[in-house]
């Protein structure tokens, strides 16, 4: 009987925690974006992080998959540190470099635009055009 009560107590505690962090409730009152020195600060990075991941995955697919291509580290880190431009129309454009696994030199530049509704457009995928840009 004691083991059953412990199991029930654990189940109730976990259920309470799960309801407390419900994604439905987490964005009930999102903080608006604001401008500082000409840079838009995005307080809700969920959409931007999703867009970053979609852009990276599009470049991976365009370059033959993970066996042939790796995106630069900034495309795996936090979204606010990724190389993006907010286009002001509900989309972001990511410009980043990649390389072949086992190599140490970037040799591919990808420019991918992702809209908040998940539409993806590979604008450019080829040789690096400007070294000074990065």
């Amino acid at each position: 009987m004691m083991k059953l009560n412990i199991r029930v107590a654990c189940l109730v505690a976990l259920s309470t925690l799960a309801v407390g962090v419900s994604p439905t409730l987490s964005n009930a009152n999102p903080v608006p974006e604001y401008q500082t020195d000409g840079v838009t600060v995005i307080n809700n990075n969920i959409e931007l992080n999703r867009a970053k991941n979609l852009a990276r995955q599009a470049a991976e697919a365009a370059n033959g998959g993970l066996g042939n291509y790796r995106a630069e580290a900034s495309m795996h880190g936090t979204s606010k540190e990724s190389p993006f431009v907010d286009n002001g129309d509900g989309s972001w454009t990511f410009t980043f470099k990649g390389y072949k696994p086992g190599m140490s030199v970037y040799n591919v530049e990808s420019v991918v635009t992702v809209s908040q509704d998940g539409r993806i457009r590979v604008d450019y995928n080829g040789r690096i055009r400007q070294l000074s840009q990065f």
Side-chain angles (χ1 to χ4, degrees):
M1 185 70 173
M2 181 72 159
K3 288 183 180 180
L4 181 60
N5 288 338
I6 291 172
R7 289 180 185 164
V8 170
C10 289
L11 180 62
V12 169
L14 289 173
S15 298
T16 303
L17 286 173
V19 170
V21 294
S22 170
T24 319
L25 301 175
S26 64
N27 285 334
N29 295 309
V31 179
E33 296 178 1
Y34 60 94
Q35 292 275 334
T36 176
D37 295 335
V39 176
T40 300
V41 177
I42 301 171
N43 292 314
N44 185 349
N45 284 330
I46 294 171
E47 291 86 6
L48 178 59
N49 193 56
R50 177 175 172 259
K52 175 201 66 168
N53 290 334
L54 290 172
R56 186 190 69 244
Q57 291 166 358
E60 290 165 353
N63 289 291
L66 288 173
N68 296 314
Y69 174 85
R70 295 285 195 279
E72 66 179 273
S74 65
M75 293 302 288
H76 295 277
T78 61
S79 56
K80 65 183 178 182
E81 294 176 9
S82 63
F84 74 94
V85 173
D86 185 332
N87 297 319
D89 62 358
S91 70
W92 298 279
T93 298
F94 297 84
T95 302
F96 54 98
K97 299 180 286 186
Y99 59 93
K100 187 172 179 88
M103 303 296 286
S104 59
V105 177
Y106 293 113
N107 60 355
V108 177
E109 177 183 350
S110 298
V111 180
V112 182
T113 300
V114 181
S115 60
Q116 286 184 1
D117 64 8
R119 287 178 289 138
I120 304 164
R121 183 181 71 230
V122 177
D123 301 314
Y124 178 79
N125 188 63
R127 296 180 65 149
I128 296 174
R129 298 176 289 186
Q130 295 178 358
L131 293 176
S132 63
Q133 182 176 357
F134 299 100

